[in-house]
Amino acid sequence: MIGELIDAINRIADLGGPVVLVLVGFSVLVVAVVIYKLWQFAAAGVGRHAALRRAVAAWDRGDRAGARSELERSKSYLRPVIDMALSGVGDAKRLEAEAEARFARLESGFRILDSVAQLAPLLGLFGTVLGMISAFQALQEAGAQVDPSILAGGIWVALMTTAVGLAVAMPTAVVLSWFEARMDGERVLAQKALRTILAPGWTVDQDPATGGVPHHA
């Protein structure tokens, strides 16, 4: 098994050179990061905020007991932040900072994907330049006995590094955009929920414990 892997690596190195090996390593890194992020998103409950939305809606109606009941059913990673807001712990800036801390954990690894998406095409171009240099050197050494296949073969190998670089960069950029779009949606949800809780659409004429009835402002 290890011998076959080494043989495959040697064939890749012979075909495309060290640049292709680096790009293959980048692709393995991207796949590992994407798998980890998908697992992390699923474990955190990203996008699954139905109970949390019902809790916020109940609070906005003035139904504090219903809001607490719905929040208990939520498995969202934002639940502790919403619980703090319902309990009146901290002001808007503190609550937003707590939410941002959770967003930062979910966004870890984005910088790696962004770096690969930017560097892979440049590495592919770098490999192409090196390949073209080698091809023209071989052409020069051939002297008067020039064989067009020498130049064509060298150019083909050189251009392959650009193709591999683009093949790594394009899917990485698409996946990164999808992850970022998901996190943008999470931020909008958190901001709306916190602002609704801090400024609900109902008021009380007096303390509900003494008979006050909540009504919409």
Side-chain angles (χ1 to χ4, degrees):
M1 183 66 179
I2 297 178
E4 294 177 357
L5 180 61
I6 294 176
D7 290 340
I9 293 175
N10 289 332
R11 285 196 297 271
I12 293 173
D14 293 338
L15 186 61
V19 173
V20 172
L21 281 178
V22 173
L23 291 171
V24 170
F26 275 6
S27 67
V28 173
L29 176 63
V30 168
V31 170
V33 171
V34 169
I35 291 174
Y36 170 71
K37 297 310 296 181
L38 290 173
W39 170 83
Q40 187 183 32
F41 275 35
V46 172
R48 299 197 300 271
H49 305 296
L52 189 145
R53 287 190 178 94
R54 290 194 298 269
V56 174
W59 183 270
D60 195 34
R61 295 192 305 268
D63 183 5
R64 295 192 176 189
R68 286 290 182 184
S69 177
E70 291 292 349
L71 188 62
E72 289 297 322
R73 298 189 181 96
S74 176
K75 299 185 182 299
S76 169
Y77 68 98
L78 290 172
R79 174 182 167 182
V81 180
I82 300 303
D83 184 55
M84 290 174 61
L86 296 182
S87 302
V89 178
D91 57 7
K93 291 184 178 180
R94 166 70 185 278
L95 294 170
E96 289 177 0
E98 290 288 341
E100 281 297 328
R102 286 159 175 79
F103 295 147
R105 285 196 291 269
L106 290 173
E107 289 175 339
S108 63
F110 284 12
R111 186 66 61 85
I112 294 175
L113 297 179
D114 182 59
S115 297
V116 171
Q118 294 187 43
L119 288 177
L122 296 177
L123 275 174
L125 181 60
F126 178 64
T128 296
V129 172
L130 293 179
M132 293 295 292
I133 291 173
S134 298
F136 281 112
Q137 283 180 338
L139 191 64
Q140 182 183 22
E141 292 172 358
Q145 299 176 348
V146 176
D147 184 357
S149 64
I150 296 176
L151 183 60
I155 293 175
W156 176 83
V157 173
L159 291 177
M160 187 184 67
T161 60
T162 297
V164 174
L166 292 174
V168 172
M170 290 187 292
T172 303
V174 171
V175 172
L176 177 60
S177 295
W178 182 79
F179 280 137
E180 289 177 338
R182 294 295 300 273
M183 292 309 302
D184 287 342
E186 295 292 299
R187 278 190 168 84
V188 170
L189 171 70
Q191 289 176 1
K192 181 179 179 181
L194 291 176
R195 291 177 183 178
T196 300
I197 293 171
L198 295 176
W202 60 273
T203 59
V204 290
D205 293 328
Q206 57 186 50
D207 191 340
T210 61
V213 179
H215 62 82
H216 283 276

